[in-house]
Amino acid sequence: MNTKVNLAGVELKNPVMTASGTFGSGAEYSEFVDLNRLGAVVTKGVANVPWPGNPTPRIAEVYGGMLNAIGLQNPGIDVFVKRDIPFLKQYDTKIIVNVCGKTTEDYLEVVERLGDEPVDLLEINISCPNVKEGGIAFGQDPKAVEAITREVKKHAKQPVIMKLSPNVTDITVMAKAAEAGGADVLSLINTLTGMKIDINRRAFAIANKTGGMSGPAVKPVAVRMVYQVANAVSLPIIGMGGIATAEDALEFIMAGATAVSVGTANFYNPYATVEIAEGIENFMKKQKVEDIRELIGCVK
């Protein structure tokens, strides 16, 4: 039985990976999860300099998921290269580094630094606010998506995954813009913008007022967007958004995703990723599916 999948020439032993920002850079979960059993570990967002993130409170539970406004807090590329890459290299799994920035130059600085590091793919988080454009996220304007993709591709030595924001009118327009800019892979969806108000305090539940909504409630939206993008472009897709079980993961795969990322589920079930990988194998055995590629995009 073959569970291997291919993302832009990088072969993963199975299609299950972690979603950026929910798994640290692997060390935090390694006592629960055997990282050797994952197709890839996707790191928390890494910037050119350390980011302190947003003021607290930064997380709120909501019906069917959670809101977060961490603000991409991270120790910066220097610490990441010195500490996190050597840790992940101990394991037989692919390393995908999520890259964030406030300007195109910020992204390029990190991408260039990673060029000579032993990492397999770069995931570019274009849901970051573009400082030069007045804070509109890079991923909300197709011209900006195409431009930043093209610039990153000029400087990147590893294949480039563009992570799409769902906070747009038509996700396929953004996917086509990333494809036109030379993206190798797409990942979607990032979080949906949401808000929660604490009625007793008569105040916002998180200091940032709005946050990114993730968890089971976003899954139907995410599956729909993955299906639309899979039918609009010819790039491999990493599907994510509310995946908590093997059944969830298989929905994304059948909608057209080559691989899947597990995010919020890690917070309440740190074993989720391995359970999902095993569940996919059990499904394949039961259904007598010999190659996972038979399932990718099988629902038209």
Side-chain angles (χ1 to χ4, degrees), residues 1-115:
M1 194 172 69
N2 178 33
T3 59
K4 291 179 183 150
V5 296
N6 193 293
L7 293 173
V10 177
E11 190 176 78
L12 278 57
K13 64 178 76 165
N14 66 53
V16 181
M17 57 180 80
T18 59
S20 175
T22 65
F23 208 77
S25 287
E28 295 84 345
Y29 274 83
S30 58
E31 59 195 89
F32 300 104
V33 178
D34 178 1
L35 302 183
N36 297 305
R37 295 174 69 188
L38 301 179
V41 170
V42 183
T43 70
K44 183 157 179 35
V46 179
N48 58 332
V49 293
W51 285 9
N54 288 329
T56 57
R58 312 196 289 192
I59 287 184
E61 194 170 343
V62 293
Y63 186 76
M66 62 180 272
L67 289 175
N68 93 81
I70 306 300
L72 295 160
Q73 179 180 340
N74 74 94
I77 186 69
D78 292 341
V79 170
F80 179 79
V81 165
K82 203 161 75 187
R83 180 190 71 190
D84 297 328
I85 295 175
F87 172 80
L88 285 168
K89 284 309 290 177
Q90 302 171 81
Y91 296 93
D92 175 25
T93 188
K94 300 299 178 194
I95 302 170
I96 301 177
V97 181
N98 182 282
V99 179
C100 50
K102 293 182 176 130
T103 64
T104 302
E105 293 70 31
D106 291 352
Y107 284 99
L108 297 182
E109 202 179 313
V110 178
V111 166
E112 286 178 347
R113 279 289 304 278
L114 290 168

Side-chain angles (χ1 to χ4, degrees), residues 5-300:
V5 296
N6 193 293
L7 293 173
V10 177
E11 190 176 78
L12 278 57
K13 64 178 76 165
N14 66 53
V16 181
M17 57 180 80
T18 59
S20 175
T22 65
F23 208 77
S25 287
E28 295 84 345
Y29 274 83
S30 58
E31 59 195 89
F32 300 104
V33 178
D34 178 1
L35 302 183
N36 297 305
R37 295 174 69 188
L38 301 179
V41 170
V42 183
T43 70
K44 183 157 179 35
V46 179
N48 58 332
V49 293
W51 285 9
N54 288 329
T56 57
R58 312 196 289 192
I59 287 184
E61 194 170 343
V62 293
Y63 186 76
M66 62 180 272
L67 289 175
N68 93 81
I70 306 300
L72 295 160
Q73 179 180 340
N74 74 94
I77 186 69
D78 292 341
V79 170
F80 179 79
V81 165
K82 203 161 75 187
R83 180 190 71 190
D84 297 328
I85 295 175
F87 172 80
L88 285 168
K89 284 309 290 177
Q90 302 171 81
Y91 296 93
D92 175 25
T93 188
K94 300 299 178 194
I95 302 170
I96 301 177
V97 181
N98 182 282
V99 179
C100 50
K102 293 182 176 130
T103 64
T104 302
E105 293 70 31
D106 291 352
Y107 284 99
L108 297 182
E109 202 179 313
V110 178
V111 166
E112 286 178 347
R113 279 289 304 278
L114 290 168
D116 299 321
E117 295 295 330
V119 302
D120 299 289
L121 294 131
L122 308 179
E123 181 182 62
I124 311 301
N125 178 5
I126 52 173
S127 295
C128 300
N130 182 348
V131 170
K132 286 186 177 168
E133 297 296 330
I136 295 168
F138 285 91
Q140 288 179 316
D141 172 7
K143 287 194 182 76
V145 171
E146 185 174 340
I148 192 153
T149 306
R150 186 164 279 125
E151 282 305 307
V152 167
K153 276 297 291 175
K154 274 185 208 162
H155 296 81
K157 291 188 183 165
Q158 295 91 345
V160 170
I161 305 163
M162 299 306 287
K163 185 170 187 177
L164 303 184
S165 168
N167 301 308
V168 295
T169 310
D170 184 350
I171 192 84
T172 63
V173 172
M174 303 304 161
K176 287 173 181 167
E179 186 176 45
D184 300 292
V185 183
L186 300 176
S187 65
L188 63 148
I189 60 172
N190 208 323
T191 53
L192 290 151
T193 307
M195 179 183 280
K196 181 178 183 177
I197 290 168
D198 181 330
I199 58 168
N200 295 308
R201 288 194 305 120
R202 301 187 193 186
F204 297 104
I206 45 184
N208 196 55
K209 297 182 183 173
T210 62
M213 165 87 179
S214 62
V218 310
K219 192 189 82 179
V221 176
V223 173
R224 181 263 294 176
M225 288 191 172
V226 165
Y227 175 79
Q228 285 180 306
V229 169
N231 286 284
V233 300
S234 56
L235 301 175
I237 294 167
I238 303 164
M240 66 198 74
I243 297 173
T245 65
E247 289 76 11
D248 295 335
L250 286 158
E251 274 193 64
F252 278 89
I253 290 167
M254 291 182 187
T258 297
V260 291
S261 284
V262 182
T264 301
N266 293 309
F267 295 138
Y268 58 86
N269 175 14
Y271 309 103
T273 44
V274 171
E275 287 172 7
I276 289 167
E278 287 171 357
I280 291 171
E281 283 183 33
N282 293 336
F283 176 86
M284 288 171 67
K285 275 180 201 145
K286 214 155 86 186
Q287 298 267 339
K288 298 187 171 50
V289 175
E290 284 178 23
D291 192 319
I292 190 141
R293 286 172 299 185
E294 291 171 38
L295 300 175
I296 297 170
C298 68
V299 176
K300 289 294 176 215

